Coordinates of all heavy atoms in Angstrom, one line a residue:
P217 N 83.5 86.4 110.4 CA 84.4 86.9 109.3 C 83.7 86.6 108.0 O 83.2 85.6 107.7 CB 85.7 86.1 109.5 CG 85.3 84.8 110.1 CD 84.1 85.2 111.1
L218 N 83.7 87.7 107.2 CA 83.1 87.6 105.8 C 84.2 88.0 104.8 O 84.6 89.2 104.8 CB 81.9 88.4 105.7 CG 80.6 88.0 106.4 CD1 79.6 89.1 106.3 CD2 80.1 86.7 105.9
R219 N 84.6 87.1 103.9 CA 85.6 87.6 102.9 C 84.7 88.2 101.8 O 83.8 87.7 101.3 CB 86.3 86.4 102.3 CG 87.3 86.8 101.2 CD 88.2 85.6 100.8 NE 87.4 84.4 100.3 CZ 86.9 84.3 99.1 NH1 87.1 85.3 98.2 NH2 86.3 83.3 98.7
F220 N 85.1 89.4 101.4 CA 84.4 90.2 100.4 C 85.2 90.6 99.2 O 84.6 91.2 98.3 CB 83.8 91.5 101.1 CG 84.8 92.5 101.6 CD1 85.3 93.4 100.7 CD2 85.2 92.5 102.9 CE1 86.2 94.4 101.2 CE2 86.1 93.4 103.4 CZ 86.6 94.3 102.5
F221 N 86.5 90.2 99.2 CA 87.3 90.7 98.0 C 88.5 89.7 98.0 O 89.1 89.3 99.0 CB 87.8 92.1 98.2 CG 88.6 92.7 97.0 CD1 87.9 93.3 96.0 CD2 89.9 92.5 96.9 CE1 88.5 93.8 94.9 CE2 90.6 93.1 95.9 CZ 89.9 93.7 94.8
S222 N 88.8 89.4 96.7 CA 90.1 88.6 96.5 C 90.7 89.0 95.1 O 90.0 89.2 94.2 CB 89.7 87.1 96.5 OG 90.8 86.3 96.4
S223 N 92.0 89.0 95.1 CA 92.7 89.3 93.8 C 94.1 88.7 93.9 O 95.0 89.2 94.6 CB 92.8 90.8 93.7 OG 93.6 91.2 92.6
L224 N 94.3 87.6 93.2 CA 95.6 86.8 93.2 C 95.9 86.5 94.7 O 95.2 85.8 95.3 CB 96.7 87.6 92.5 CG 96.6 87.8 91.0 CD1 97.8 88.5 90.4 CD2 96.4 86.5 90.3
F225 N 97.0 87.0 95.2 CA 97.4 86.6 96.6 C 96.6 87.3 97.7 O 96.7 86.9 98.8 CB 98.9 87.0 96.8 CG 99.8 86.2 96.0 CD1 100.4 86.7 94.8 CD2 100.1 84.9 96.3 CE1 101.3 86.0 94.1 CE2 101.0 84.1 95.6 CZ 101.6 84.7 94.4
W226 N 95.8 88.3 97.3 CA 95.1 89.2 98.2 C 93.7 88.8 98.6 O 93.0 88.4 97.7 CB 95.2 90.6 97.6 CG 94.6 91.7 98.4 CD1 93.3 92.1 98.5 CD2 95.4 92.7 99.2 NE1 93.2 93.2 99.3 CE2 94.5 93.6 99.7 CE3 96.7 92.8 99.4 CZ2 94.9 94.7 100.5 CZ3 97.2 93.9 100.2 CH2 96.2 94.8 100.8
S227 N 93.4 88.9 99.8 CA 92.0 88.8 100.2 C 91.6 89.8 101.3 O 92.5 90.3 102.0 CB 91.7 87.4 100.8 OG 91.7 86.4 99.8
A228 N 90.3 90.1 101.4 CA 89.9 91.1 102.4 C 88.6 90.6 103.1 O 87.8 89.9 102.5 CB 89.6 92.4 101.8
W229 N 88.6 90.8 104.4 CA 87.5 90.4 105.3 C 86.9 91.5 106.1 O 87.6 92.5 106.4 CB 88.0 89.4 106.3 CG 88.4 88.1 105.8 CD1 87.7 86.9 105.8 CD2 89.7 87.7 105.3 NE1 88.5 85.8 105.3 CE2 89.7 86.4 104.9 CE3 90.9 88.5 105.0 CZ2 90.9 85.7 104.4 CZ3 92.0 87.9 104.5 CH2 92.0 86.5 104.2
I230 N 85.7 91.4 106.5 CA 85.2 92.2 107.6 C 84.8 91.2 108.7 O 84.2 90.1 108.4 CB 83.9 93.1 107.2 CG1 83.5 94.0 108.3 CG2 82.8 92.2 106.6 CD1 82.5 95.0 107.9
A231 N 85.1 91.5 109.9 CA 84.8 90.7 111.0 C 84.4 91.7 112.2 O 84.5 92.9 112.0 CB 86.0 89.9 111.5
F232 N 83.9 91.1 113.3 CA 83.3 91.9 114.3 C 83.8 91.5 115.7 O 83.9 90.3 116.0 CB 81.7 91.8 114.3 CG 81.2 92.2 113.0 CD1 81.1 91.4 111.9 CD2 80.7 93.6 112.8 CE1 80.5 91.8 110.7 CE2 80.2 94.0 111.6 CZ 80.1 93.1 110.5
K233 N 84.1 92.5 116.5 CA 84.6 92.2 117.8 C 83.5 91.5 118.6 O 82.3 91.9 118.6 CB 84.8 93.6 118.5 CG 85.1 93.5 120.0 CD 86.5 93.0 120.3 CE 86.7 93.0 121.9 NZ 86.9 94.4 122.4
S234 N 83.9 90.4 119.2 CA 82.9 89.6 119.9 C 82.3 90.3 121.0 O 82.9 91.2 121.7 CB 83.7 88.3 120.5 OG 84.2 87.5 119.4
V235 N 81.0 90.1 121.2 CA 80.3 90.7 122.3 C 80.2 89.8 123.5 O 79.8 88.7 123.4 CB 78.8 91.1 121.8 CG1 78.0 91.7 123.0 CG2 78.9 92.0 120.6
D236 N 80.7 90.3 124.6 CA 80.7 89.6 125.9 C 79.2 89.4 126.3 O 78.5 90.4 126.4 CB 81.4 90.3 127.0 CG 81.5 89.6 128.3 OD1 80.7 88.7 128.5 OD2 82.4 89.9 129.0
P237 N 78.7 88.2 126.5 CA 77.3 88.0 126.8 C 76.9 88.8 128.0 O 75.7 89.2 128.1 CB 77.2 86.5 127.1 CG 78.4 85.9 126.3 CD 79.5 86.9 126.4
S238 N 77.8 89.0 129.0 CA 77.4 89.8 130.2 C 77.2 91.3 129.9 O 76.6 92.0 130.8 CB 78.5 89.6 131.3 OG 79.7 90.2 130.8

Side-chain angles (χ1 to χ4, degrees):
L218 291 171
R219 180 172 59 82
F220 64 87
F221 186 87
S222 185
S223 175
L224 292 182
F225 293 103
W226 182 275
S227 287
W229 293 260
I230 186 170
F232 300 85
K233 170 75 176 289
S234 298
V235 177
D236 185 338
S238 67

